[in-house]
C-alpha cells in the first residue's frame, strides 16, 4: 500500500490547486478523481465550457447585429453551426483539462482514477480504474457540488435539463424556460437567446441575482428585457411536466394566480448542493451539517484533526477561486505556515454581457448593519472607450465609509467588469480610501477610468466627466 503525506479527494480547482501547493511545499501528494478527466465541474461542465459558448455566441451576435454599424458588411446569411460551436467548446475543455494532467506530472503528484471513499481517518479506498487502497497522514476533501433540483421536478436530462446538458444540446431551442434567475441560468440563457431561442426566466425572488447589489440586478434586468427576454419575477414554480417534445411549467405569480409556460426545453437552475455521495465520511468520523455541507473550523479542519475540507462542499460562496484560495490555505497550514483568507474580499462575477462583478458589502448589507456610507457611481456611456467600442450599458459604484472614506464595497456592470473587479480587490486588500483610488492615474481611454471616476464621485461628489 502506498503512503502519502497528503491525499486529496476531488480534482476541481480547489483539489488540484491544493495538490500543486502541497507538492511545492515538499509533501508527497496524491489526488483521486472519479472521472477520467481532471478539473472537476468547473473545467469540464461549468466555468470553462460556459465561457466558451458565451464567447462564440457573442461573436455571432456582434456579426448579425453590430458589424454593419462599424462598416463591416457580410453578404448572404450568417448561420449558426451549433455542432461546430459545441465542438469548439469541447476542444477548449480538452486543452484545459490536459493542462491539469501536465501540472500533475510536472509536480510529481500521483493521480488515481476512481471513486475515493474513506475506510477510516487515514485510509482511502479507490473503486474504479485504479482500484486499491492508499494511506495518507492528512486528507483534503474537495468533492465539490452538483446541480440542485426542486423536489417535484423530474430531470429527464433530455427536455428537462441541468446546466450540464445545456452545454451540449444538439439543437437551438425554440423556447427555453429557465427556472432560476441566478448566475448559471442567466449566462446559459444569454447563450441561447443570442442564437435565436425565445427565453423565459422564472425567478422566485423579486429580482434576478438576488444576492448581489440591487442596482446591478436592475441594470442587467433592463438589458435582458431590451434583448427580448421574458423576465418573470416573484413567480413560484409549482409543476414541470413533459409531454413529448413540449415542457409545461406552471407557476404562481405574486397575485396568487397560476400561470402556464410552454417551451421545448426547461433548464432547472436553482443553485447547487454539496457533493458527498459515496465519500463514506462517517467511516472517518467526519461530521456533516443539516445542509449536507462538511463542517470545518477557521483552519478548514473538520472535527477529525487530520482531515480538511475546501470549496463547494463547505459553507460559503460556491466559487472556483474561493476553492483555490482554500486549497492553498490548507496546504500552507499543513506546512506550518500562517496563511489567511478574507472572505469579504472574494469577488463574485457573472459572465453575461454586460459582465457583472462585485466585491465587499452591498448597500443593503451596509444599511442592515447600520454603517453610514457614501456612494459614488459613474456610467460607462460617459467613457470615450465605451463609445468607441459601442459598449455603453452599465456603471461602476463605489461604497465608502462616511467618516473614514475606506472602500467598503465595489459593484459594477459593463464591458470587461470581470477583469476590472481585480483593481477593487487589490484596493480593498490594502484598505484603500475612495480618494486613494481617485488619485491613481488610469490610462485613457480605458474602461478602468470608470473606477477612478466612481471613486471621485464617492470621495466628494467630484467626478470629472459627468
Amino acid at each position: 500500500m502506498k503512503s502519502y503525506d497528503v491525499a486529496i479527494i476531488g480534482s476541481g480547482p480547489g483539489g488540484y490547486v491544493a495538490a500543486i501547493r502541497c507538492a511545492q511545499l515538499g509533501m508527497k501528494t496524491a489526488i483521486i478523481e472519479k472521472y477520467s478527466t481532471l478539473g472537476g465541474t468547473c473545467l469540464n461542465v461549468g466555468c470553462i465550457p460556459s465561457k466558451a459558448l458565451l464567447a462564440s455566441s457573442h461573436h455571432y451576435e456582434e456579426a448579425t447585429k453590430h458589424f454593419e454599424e462599424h462598416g463591416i458588411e457580410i453578404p448572404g446569411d450568417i448561420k449558426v453551426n451549433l455542432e461546430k460551436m459545441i465542438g469548439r467548446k469541447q476542444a477548449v475543455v480538452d486543452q484545459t483539462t490536459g493542462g491539469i494532467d501536465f501540472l500533475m506530472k510536472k509536480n510529481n503528484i500521483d493521480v488515481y482514477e476512481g471513486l475515493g471513499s474513506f475506510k477510516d481517518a487515514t485510509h482511502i479506498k479507490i473503486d474504479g480504474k485504479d482500484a486499491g487502497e492508499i494511506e495518507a497522514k492528512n486528507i483534503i476533501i474537495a468533492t465539490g457540488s452538483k446541480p440542485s433540483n426542486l423536489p417535484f421536478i423530474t430531470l429527464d436530462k433530455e427536455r428537462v435539463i441541468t446546466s450540464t446538458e445545456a452545454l451540449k444540446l444538439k439543437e437551438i431551442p425554440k423556447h427555453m424556460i429557465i427556472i432560476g434567475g441566478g448566475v448559471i441560468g442567466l449566462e446559459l440563457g444569454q447563450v441561447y437567446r443570442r442564437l435565436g431561442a425565445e427565453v423565459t426566466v422564472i425567478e422566485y425572488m423579486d429580482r434576478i441575482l438576488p444576492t448581489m447589489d440591487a442596482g446591478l440586478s436592475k441594470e442587467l434586468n433592463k438589458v435582458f428585457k431590451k434583448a427580448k427576454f421574458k423576465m418573470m419575477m416573484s413567480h413560484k414554480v409549482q409543476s414541470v411536466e413533459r409531454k413529448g417534445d413540449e415542457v409545461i411549467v406552471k407557476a404562481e405569480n405574486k397575485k396568487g394566480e397560476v400561470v402556464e409556460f410552454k417551451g421545448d426545453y426547461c433548464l432547472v437552475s436553482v443553485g447547487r448542493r454539496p457533493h458527498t455521495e459515496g465519500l463514506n465520511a462517517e467511516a472517518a468520523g467526519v461530521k456533516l451539517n443539516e445542509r449536507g455541507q462538511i463542517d470545518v473550523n477557521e483552519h478548514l479542519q473538520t472535527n477529525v484533526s487530520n482531515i480538511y475540507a475546501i470549496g463547494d462542499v463547505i459553507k460559503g460562496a460556491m466559487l472556483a477561486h474561493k476553492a483555490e484560495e482554500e486549497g492553498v490555505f490548507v496546504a500552507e497550514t499543513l506546512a506550518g505556515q500562517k496563511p489567511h483568507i478574507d472572505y469579504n474580499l472574494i469577488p463574485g462575477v457573472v459572465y453575461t454581457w454586460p459582465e457583472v462583478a462585485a466585491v465587499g458589502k452591498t448597500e443593503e448589507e451596509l444599511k442592515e448593519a447600520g454603517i453610514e456610507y457614501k456612494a459614488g457611481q459613474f456610467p460607462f456611456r460617459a467613457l470615450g472607450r465605451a463609445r468607441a467600442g459601442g459598449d455603453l450599458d452599465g456603471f461602476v459604484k463605489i461604497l465608502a465609509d462616511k467618516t473614514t472614506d475606506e472602500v467598503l464595497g465595489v459593484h459594477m456592470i459593463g464591458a470587461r467588469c470581470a477583469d476590472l473587479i481585480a483593481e477593487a480587490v487589490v484596493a480593498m486588500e490594502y484598505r484603500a480610501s475612495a480618494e486613494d483610488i481617485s488619485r491613481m492615474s488610469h490610462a485613457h481611454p480605458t474602461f478602468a477610468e470608470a473606477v477612478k471616476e466612481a471613486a471621485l464621485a464617492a470621495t466628494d461628489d467630484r467626478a470629472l466627466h459627468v
Side-chain angles (χ1 to χ4, degrees):
M1 185 193 303
K2 276 203 167 184
S3 188
Y4 296 90
D5 295 316
V6 61
I8 296 123
I9 305 174
S11 73
Y16 86 73
V17 167
I20 292 170
R21 190 70 186 115
C22 285
Q24 286 177 341
L25 290 164
M27 295 174 228
K28 188 181 179 187
T29 307
I31 192 163
I32 304 155
E33 172 54 57
K34 72 173 178 178
Y35 294 112
S36 58
T37 54
L38 302 176
T41 292
C42 179
L43 274 65
N44 289 278
V45 290
C47 331
I48 301 303
S50 61
K51 300 317 155 280
L53 290 181
L54 279 161
S56 296
S57 61
H58 187 69
H59 287 316
Y60 175 70
E61 186 173 56
E62 288 292 301
T64 53
K65 294 185 178 175
H66 303 298
F67 274 12
E68 207 171 323
E69 68 194 63
H70 289 274
I72 303 167
E73 295 177 357
I74 302 172
D77 289 338
I78 300 169
K79 294 176 182 172
V80 175
N81 183 332
L82 186 63
E83 186 182 355
K84 199 169 185 180
M85 193 179 281
I86 298 285
R88 177 192 175 272
K89 178 257 325 177
Q90 193 55 46
V92 170
V93 169
D94 294 344
Q95 188 178 10
T96 310
T97 57
I100 307 304
D101 291 334
F102 164 77
L103 290 171
M104 296 300 103
K105 290 185 182 86
K106 180 192 169 193
N107 288 282
N108 297 313
I109 296 160
D110 288 349
V111 177
Y112 293 89
E113 185 185 326
L115 177 67
S117 61
F118 284 101
K119 191 176 176 187
D120 56 39
T122 55
H123 294 85
I124 300 168
K125 183 180 173 228
I126 301 160
D127 290 308
K129 187 183 169 189
D130 298 324
E133 191 180 314
I134 63 169
E135 182 181 40
K137 289 180 200 163
N138 297 289
I139 296 168
I140 303 172
I141 302 167
T143 48
S145 61
K146 290 279 184 188
S148 293
N149 191 16
L150 297 174
F152 53 84
I153 297 177
T154 301
L155 295 166
D156 63 24
K157 301 193 176 183
E158 292 173 357
R159 295 283 169 181
V160 184
I161 61 176
T162 70
S163 55
T164 302
E165 295 78 48
L167 292 165
K168 54 184 181 186
L169 292 181
K170 299 279 194 292
E171 62 178 359
I172 297 164
K174 296 180 187 71
H175 180 197
M176 178 177 268
I177 300 165
I178 298 173
I179 299 173
V183 179
I184 298 165
L186 296 179
E187 288 182 1
L188 291 171
Q190 191 168 56
V191 167
Y192 287 108
R193 180 72 197 105
R194 287 167 174 166
L195 301 181
E198 185 185 333
V199 177
T200 300
V201 177
I202 303 172
E203 169 58 46
Y204 176 72
M205 303 294 279
D206 61 356
R207 61 185 175 97
I208 55 172
L209 304 177
T211 60
M212 298 188 88
D213 193 274
L216 302 179
S217 301
K218 188 178 177 184
E219 182 74 5
L220 189 62
N221 196 63
K222 187 173 80 179
V223 172
F224 272 37
K225 279 187 169 177
K226 195 173 161 188
K228 301 288 193 293
F229 279 76
K230 289 179 181 161
M231 309 297 283
M232 303 294 173
M233 301 300 104
S234 303
H235 277 62
K236 183 182 180 181
V237 173
Q238 293 185 327
S239 68
V240 176
E241 185 186 1
R242 177 182 173 180
K243 287 185 177 175
D245 289 344
E246 186 178 61
V247 183
I248 300 156
V249 178
K250 288 181 181 175
E252 185 184 298
N253 65 18
K254 57 184 172 187
K255 293 177 185 172
E257 302 160 338
V258 175
V259 285
E260 191 175 272
F261 305 91
K262 291 181 179 178
D264 53 341
Y265 287 90
C266 176
L267 169 59
V268 180
S269 181
V270 291
R272 298 181 65 84
R273 60 182 175 82
H275 180 56
T276 56
E277 289 91 345
L279 187 61
N280 199 27
E282 60 275 11
V286 173
K287 285 181 186 169
L288 276 63
N289 65 23
E290 66 283 351
R291 298 183 68 186
Q293 298 164 325
I294 293 173
D295 273 328
V296 292
N297 63 17
E298 68 275 15
H299 303 295
L300 302 180
Q301 196 174 30
T302 69
N303 60 299
V304 181
S305 62
N306 68 308
I307 301 174
Y308 296 76
I310 62 173
D312 290 3
V313 83
I314 67 169
K315 65 185 178 184
M318 290 186 172
L319 298 168
H321 46 285
K322 168 189 171 275
E324 289 186 14
E325 296 300 327
E326 290 174 337
V328 169
F329 180 97
V330 171
E332 293 179 352
T333 299
L334 291 173
Q337 297 181 11
K338 304 278 186 218
H340 86 283
I341 298 173
D342 185 344
Y343 285 98
N344 184 50
L345 297 186
I346 292 178
V349 178
V350 187
Y351 294 87
T352 50
W353 198 263
E355 291 175 336
V356 185
V359 65
K361 303 299 183 190
T362 64
E363 286 203 60
E364 294 82 3
E365 287 169 337
L366 292 174
K367 283 172 186 169
E368 196 178 318
I371 296 168
E372 292 193 330
Y373 66 93
K374 308 174 290 178
Q377 190 164 310
F378 189 83
F380 274 102
R381 65 177 54 250
L383 291 177
R385 180 67 189 274
R387 285 194 296 274
D391 291 304
L392 302 175
D393 293 316
F395 59 83
V396 175
K397 176 165 70 175
I398 292 180
L399 309 175
D401 187 281
K402 194 172 183 179
T403 307
T404 66
D405 197 38
E406 181 181 349
V407 177
L408 303 175
V410 180
H411 307 275
M412 52 179 78
I413 174 169
R416 306 292 168 211
C417 283
D419 301 304
L420 292 179
I421 198 65
E423 176 180 354
V425 177
V426 172
M428 290 175 69
E429 184 67 56
Y430 287 93
R431 301 195 66 173
S433 65
E435 187 174 6
D436 286 335
I437 298 172
S438 77
R439 293 195 178 277
M440 294 174 191
S441 179
H442 287 62
H444 174 78
T446 58
F447 290 111
E449 287 177 284
V451 179
K452 178 186 173 86
E453 292 276 7
L456 283 165
T459 302
D460 194 26
D461 196 19
R462 56 189 178 94
L464 295 166
H465 289 92
V466 282

